[in-house]
Amino acid sequence: MLTICREDTAEVIKRTDIFEEIVEELKKIGVLFERWNAKKTISEDSSEEEITQAYMEDIQRLMKMFGFKSYDVISMTPDHPKKDELRNKFLKEHTHSDFEVRFFVYGDGAFYLHPDDKVYIVICEKGDLISVPAGVPHWFDMGTSPNFKCIRLFTTEEGWVANYTGSDIADRFPKYDELKVG
Ligand SMILES: [Fe+2]
């Protein structure tokens, strides 16, 4: 689901759940959006090894395309002791000098991209891949009951490094919990 809003009033300009339209709109702002299919059966209990094997063709395609050097699998569960701390870390607007790529093996979350005078809210679910270009302000809301497993791809050894913009824009937009209900 993609919702495009004005940055100042959060007024909705466009909303679509049609895959081709989402790909097209996000392409305009340099964001890659794909759907991946597992080549092997995996379950929520699958190991990191089993998960990466099931998506290896796609992982290697992107590694070649963008020069990624490493990848890992991260998990978040509603009973994670640091879920609030981690949620808040991603919930403030920030940029990266490297670009961010996430593939949702399971679960969901909302990316808020702020490349110009609009905010693009992308709700990602199982099978969705999204990239956030270097330097594009954005934030991510995993919700108050986070539950997901993601493959991350990196071009640097440092992994995830954020530069916070200091903006409070994220406070003026609906949180993921509200988006899920609405
Ligand atoms: Fe980020």
Side-chain angles (χ1 to χ4, degrees):
M1 171 74 81
L2 168 68
T3 309
I4 305 175
C5 309
R6 283 174 59 135
E7 68 174 349
D8 49 359
T9 58
E11 183 196 329
V12 175
I13 299 167
K14 179 176 181 166
R15 179 172 283 158
T16 178
D17 62 357
I18 299 166
F19 173 70
E20 289 77 15
E21 279 187 28
I22 296 174
V23 170
E24 197 57 34
E25 287 291 348
L26 293 179
K27 202 177 167 185
K28 289 183 202 163
I29 56 167
V31 171
L32 179 70
F33 188 79
E34 298 185 340
R35 300 238 349 128
W36 289 5
N37 291 311
K39 299 286 183 288
K40 288 175 189 149
T41 308
I42 51 166
S43 73
E44 294 207 30
D45 305 317
S46 295
S47 68
E48 181 167 338
E49 174 74 20
E50 288 167 328
I51 289 169
T52 50
Q53 280 307 317
Y55 292 104
M56 196 41 84
E57 261 179 47
D58 284 309
I59 291 172
Q60 285 182 337
R61 176 173 56 84
L62 286 203
M63 287 184 95
K64 211 181 252 178
M65 201 189 300
F66 297 111
F68 290 117
K69 291 190 176 62
S70 60
Y71 55 84
D72 68 5
V73 179
I74 52 155
S75 306
M76 184 56 65
T77 51
D79 58 0
H80 193 290
K82 286 189 170 178
K83 65 168 182 173
D84 294 328
E85 192 186 314
L86 286 164
R87 180 181 178 225
N88 288 329
K89 188 170 145 184
F90 303 122
L91 204 47
K92 287 193 278 288
E93 191 184 62
H94 63 274
T95 63
H96 306 287
S97 54
D98 190 14
F99 69 128
E100 191 169 334
V101 176
R102 296 287 178 275
F103 172 72
F104 283 78
V105 179
Y106 279 107
D108 47 65
F111 274 91
Y112 301 70
L113 311 164
H114 185 203
D116 45 36
D117 58 355
K118 296 185 283 296
V119 171
Y120 296 68
I121 308 173
V122 190
I123 296 180
C124 292
E125 295 174 337
K126 181 185 172 182
D128 291 344
L129 172 126
I130 190 168
S131 80
V132 179
V136 166
H138 64 278
W139 65 96
F140 173 70
D141 188 4
M142 58 177 81
T144 52
S145 185
N147 192 18
F148 62 83
K149 205 168 256 193
C150 277
I151 298 175
R152 308 188 293 180
L153 297 140
F154 300 106
T155 58
T156 59
E157 301 301 323
E158 293 86 55
W160 193 88
V161 182
N163 308 302
Y164 290 99
T165 63
S167 166
D168 63 355
I169 185 167
D171 302 338
R172 302 197 299 274
F173 279 79
K175 299 286 179 287
Y176 184 40
D177 287 16
E178 298 162 49
L179 293 172
K180 270 202 277 195
V181 176

